[in-house]
Amino acid sequence: MPYAATLGHTRHAFADLKAVLACASPHRSGDALAGLAADSDERRVAARLVLADLPLRTFLEEPAVAYEDDAVTRLILDTHDAAAFAPVAAMTVGQFRDWLLSDAAAGPALAALAPGLTPEMAAAVSKLMRNQDLIAVARKIRVVTAFRGTLGLPGRLSVRIQPNHPTDDPQGVAAAILDGLLMGCGDAVIGINPAADSLQGCTALLELVDGIRQRYAIPTQSCVLTHVTNTIAIIERSAPVDLVFQSIAGTEAANRAFGIDLAVLEEGREAALSLKRGTVGDNVMYFETGQGSALSADAHHGVDQQTLEARAYAVARAFKPLLVNSVVGFIGPEYLYDGKQIARAGLEDHFCGKLLGLPMGMDVCYTNHAEADQDDMDSLLTLLGVAGVNFIMGVPGADDVMLNYQSTSYHDALYLRSALNLRPAPEFEAWLEGMGMLGADGRVKELPPSSPALLRFLDGEAA
C-alpha cells in the first residue's frame, strides 16, 4: 500500500513499505547503486516520519518480500512467536524505539522478546536510531552459546584466530595459530578460509587444527570455512569437524546464488550434531553475512541492503548457531563507500542481530579500494566493544594475505580487552592461566624466549 508524509509544502509519496524502509536508511552507496536510496535528506526525514508512526504489526501484514515468492519470508512468518510479540504488539516503530531505550527494556525482557520480532521490525527501528542508541540497546543484550567454550557472557570478548594462507601451507597456518594463541586469542574459533576448496585440502586443514587443539588441550573449536555441502561430505569421511560454516543472505534467491537452501543448512547441522564433539554445548553452526550480498546477486527484490541483512539473521536464528558475524566492509565500496558508512553498518548489524537473539560478532574490515583506513576500524572496533560484541577477528598484522583485505589483529583484541576490562571465554581463560600465559592482573603476559611457559607450549606439554 502507498504511504506519504508532508514536510513544509512538499508531499513525499512512497509506493509501498519497502520504499519507506529504503528511503529511511542512512545514505549508503549500495542503496544508491540499486536506485533505492532517498534523493535528499528531506525525503529521508519524511520516510522516517512515516516509519515512526507505523504499527509494528504492519510488518506481519506487508512483508518486504512476498510470502509466496520467498522461502526466507515463509520462515520468518511461519516461525513468528505471537506470544513473545504480545508485549510490544500495540506499539508503533517510534514507540518501540523509545521503549528499547528505556529502563523497562532490560536484558531478560529483550531476550524474551526476540522470537516475537521479525527482521523488518528490527531494521525499521534501527533506522530511527542514532549510533549511540544502537550501542545503548545492544549492550543490554547478552546471547550466550557454547561448544567447547562458553561465548557471549558479560565482561567477555572472544576472538577468532583467522590463520589464512595463500597456499594453505601447513607451516604457515600453524605459525599464525601459534602467534594468536600466545596473544590470548582463539576462544571463539580457529577458523581457516581455505585457498583451495578440495575435500582433501579441507580435511588436511581440519586435521592440522584438531591436532594442535588436542596437543595443547585447548578448550576451543575449529572450522574450515568451506561450503556447507563440502563439510557434509567431509563429515561422511569421518574428519574432525566441530562447526559447519556457511555464508547466508536475506532472500531465497540470494541464498540460491550461494548454492544453498534451508534444507541443506539443516542437513549440515544434523550432520555436525551427530558427531557429538561439543563438551559444554551443542551450538554447531557458524554463519557469515554482509550488507550488499543480495544486491550483488541481483536478488534484492527492491529491498534496501540493511533490511535484507537483518533478514539473513532470521535464517541464522533458525539453526541455533554458535557464531554469527557480519563481514561488514568486505564486499567493497560499491555497497559501503567509506569509513562512515562501514561504521554505521557495523553498529546496525550488531544491534539487529542481538535484538533478534543472535550471538553477534563482527569482522571489522575494509577492502583496499574503499575510502577507509585502519583509524576508521579502530573507532568501529571500540564502539562495538562498548556495545558488547561477542567476538572479533584476529588476523596476523590485521592483513589477510589470502583474502587480500584489512581486518583486526591479535594486538587489536588485546587493546580492546585492556581498554574495556574484558576477558576471554572462561574455559579458555582457565587454559591460558594453566599454561602460565596470564599475569596476576589477568592480562596475557609477554613471554621472553626463555620463558618456561613458552618452552612448555612449544614442546607441546599441555598444562
Side-chain angles (χ1 to χ4, degrees):
M1 62 174 288
Y3 298 88
T6 300
L7 286 178
H9 299 292
T10 304
R11 184 175 184 274
H12 294 269
F14 305 93
D16 51 28
L17 182 53
K18 60 187 180 183
V20 174
L21 288 167
C23 289
S25 288
H27 179 76
R28 60 202 55 187
S29 53
D31 290 339
L33 180 65
L36 303 175
D39 58 8
S40 68
D41 288 339
E42 181 178 298
R43 183 164 176 80
R44 186 169 294 110
V45 170
R48 291 176 182 175
L49 288 173
V50 172
L51 197 57
D53 289 339
L54 281 179
L56 287 174
R57 289 187 180 278
T58 306
F59 299 98
L60 298 173
E61 300 160 358
E62 193 177 343
V65 184
Y67 182 91
E68 59 274 13
D69 294 339
D70 187 81
V72 176
T73 299
R74 292 192 290 275
L75 172 69
I76 292 167
L77 295 181
D78 291 350
T79 60
H80 180 252
D81 188 330
F85 180 56
V88 299
M91 294 183 185
T92 65
V93 178
Q95 290 169 336
F96 183 45
R97 172 193 174 275
D98 293 344
W99 179 80
L100 287 172
L101 290 166
S102 73
D103 291 340
L110 292 170
L113 178 63
L117 296 178
T118 70
E120 288 87 347
M121 294 174 190
V125 74
S126 75
K127 296 173 194 294
L128 302 183
M129 289 180 153
R130 296 169 57 187
N131 287 1
Q132 69 173 244
D133 298 339
L134 299 174
I135 294 168
V137 176
R139 69 175 285 108
K140 295 192 284 187
I141 306 170
R142 306 307 310 185
V143 181
V144 179
T145 56
F147 189 76
R148 288 195 190 92
T150 307
L151 310 179
L153 292 167
R156 307 279 176 171
L157 173 71
S158 295
V159 185
R160 168 188 162 187
I161 289 179
Q162 186 170 307
N164 297 344
H165 191 278
T167 63
D168 292 338
D169 176 69
Q171 288 187 322
V173 171
I177 293 172
L178 177 61
D179 190 17
L181 292 171
L182 287 170
M183 291 197 215
C185 299
D187 51 338
V189 64
I190 301 174
I192 306 170
N193 298 90
D197 243 0
S198 70
L199 298 186
Q200 181 179 359
C202 291
T203 300
L205 289 171
L206 282 167
E207 291 173 344
L208 169 67
V209 179
D210 198 58
I212 294 171
R213 182 190 65 78
Q214 291 194 60
R215 179 180 183 184
Y216 300 112
I218 309 168
T220 189
Q221 36 284 326
S222 63
C223 185
V224 170
L225 282 68
T226 186
H227 194 271
V228 60
T229 54
N230 284 347
T231 304
I232 293 169
I234 291 168
I235 290 173
E236 292 170 350
R237 296 183 175 196
S238 302
V241 172
D242 290 339
L243 305 183
V244 176
F245 168 81
Q246 185 55 50
S247 294
I248 57 173
T251 69
E252 179 182 1
N255 283 318
R256 193 182 306 122
F258 284 137
I260 61 166
D261 57 24
L262 300 178
V264 77
L265 294 178
E266 181 58 32
E267 183 182 354
R269 180 171 181 269
E270 291 299 323
L273 286 171
S274 73
L275 300 178
K276 298 180 180 179
R277 291 174 58 84
T279 56
V280 297
D282 63 357
N283 299 112
V284 296
M285 302 300 284
Y286 177 15
F287 294 119
E288 284 191 340
T289 66
Q291 290 193 27
S293 58
L295 174 57
S296 67
D298 194 24
H300 59 87
H301 296 272
V303 181
D304 70 274
Q305 64 184 40
Q306 191 249 333
T307 299
L308 290 179
E309 172 72 4
R311 282 169 56 93
Y313 303 153
V315 176
R317 182 169 62 176
F319 299 98
K320 301 177 175 63
L322 178 75
L323 305 164
V324 180
N325 69 262
S326 166
V327 193
V328 64
F330 182 75
I331 302 181
E334 299 85 356
Y335 307 97
L336 295 169
Y337 180 73
D338 56 17
K340 181 179 177 66
Q341 292 187 17
I342 292 170
R344 173 68 190 191
L347 294 175
E348 289 171 348
D349 295 350
H350 179 254
F351 164 84
C352 288
K354 284 282 186 69
L355 194 60
L356 293 168
L358 288 181
M360 286 301 294
M362 190 66 56
D363 191 344
V364 181
C365 63
Y366 65 101
T367 58
N368 288 311
H369 62 309
E371 289 294 323
D373 58 28
Q374 210 66 38
D375 285 338
D376 295 315
M377 299 306 106
D378 287 349
S379 298
L380 177 55
L381 174 68
T382 306
L383 293 173
L384 287 166
V386 175
V389 69
N390 279 31
F391 70 102
I392 60 170
M393 305 298 132
V395 179
D399 184 1
D400 193 303
V401 295
M402 193 277 283
L403 292 173
N404 293 309
Y405 78 114
Q406 309 304 310
S407 184
T408 47
S409 70
Y410 305 137
H411 297 85
D412 294 330
L414 292 181
Y415 146 72
L416 196 60
R417 282 176 176 165
S418 175
L420 299 179
N421 195 27
L422 301 171
R423 292 146 54 203
E427 298 86 352
F428 194 82
E429 184 179 40
W431 175 79
L432 289 170
E433 185 173 11
M435 292 296 289
M437 291 193 290
L438 287 186
D441 59 359
R443 297 182 182 180
V444 176
K445 292 193 292 189
E446 183 177 349
L447 301 179
S450 60
S451 163
L454 179 57
L455 293 175
R456 186 168 70 249
F457 197 105
L458 294 175
D459 287 341
E461 180 187 328

